[in-house]
Amino acid sequence: MMHEHDETLRDLLVILRHAPHGSSWLKEGLDAALVAAAFGQSVSLLFMGEGVTALVPGQGAGPLEQKGTAATLAMLEMYDIETLLVDAQALSSLGLADDELMLDVTPLSAEAIAETLSAHRLVLTF
């Protein structure tokens, strides 16, 4: 849902649902977030499902030498992408805790995720 004239809405929420390896979805989502931020958009990231695994430290290259996304994640602060959210249920189902991740994230309940979705003018899902 897009609310173009509501000044209280944040600019862009990028939802990342895919693991770092096996497809290009995560990389494409991160690239979209960086481009939007470079053009002055306020960008928030929400890691859901297997996308949470992108935040696990110590990742290397994937099969076929596919590059990891750790270097891109490390650049988020340079682009002023500071709102990093994670689906608390996905985090729990993967046996992870937010303090084990490579970036400081805010875990969100299902209810808080619904509120976050409605608080953004534009939502992109990768």
Side-chain angles (χ1 to χ4, degrees):
M1 179 183 296
M2 194 165 146
H3 306 272
E4 291 183 26
H5 303 293
D6 191 341
E7 297 295 326
T8 63
L9 295 176
R10 296 180 181 198
D11 287 344
L12 175 62
L13 174 66
V14 176
I15 300 174
L16 303 166
R17 294 178 166 267
H18 294 271
H21 301 114
S23 76
S24 62
W25 284 104
L26 180 68
K27 181 180 179 331
E28 290 177 15
L30 289 170
D31 287 348
L34 294 176
V35 168
F39 282 97
Q41 297 289 306
S42 172
V43 178
S44 302
L45 295 180
L46 172 59
F47 296 86
M48 297 184 75
E50 291 182 0
V52 172
T53 61
L55 297 166
V56 175
Q59 296 181 28
L64 306 176
E65 297 303 315
Q66 182 181 17
K67 291 182 179 178
T69 53
T72 304
L73 291 171
M75 294 188 328
L76 296 176
E77 189 175 347
M78 289 182 353
Y79 284 80
D80 294 327
I81 300 175
E82 297 172 347
T83 303
L84 305 176
L85 310 167
V86 64
D87 177 358
Q89 185 174 350
L91 195 63
S92 175
S93 69
L94 292 167
L96 299 169
D98 59 310
D99 61 354
E100 296 177 287
L101 304 178
M102 62 183 288
L103 299 173
D104 289 331
V105 296
T106 302
L108 297 180
S109 66
E111 181 178 281
I113 289 172
E115 292 172 7
T116 298
L117 289 171
S118 64
H120 285 81
R121 186 175 56 83
L122 183 61
V123 177
L124 299 176
T125 302
F126 290 89

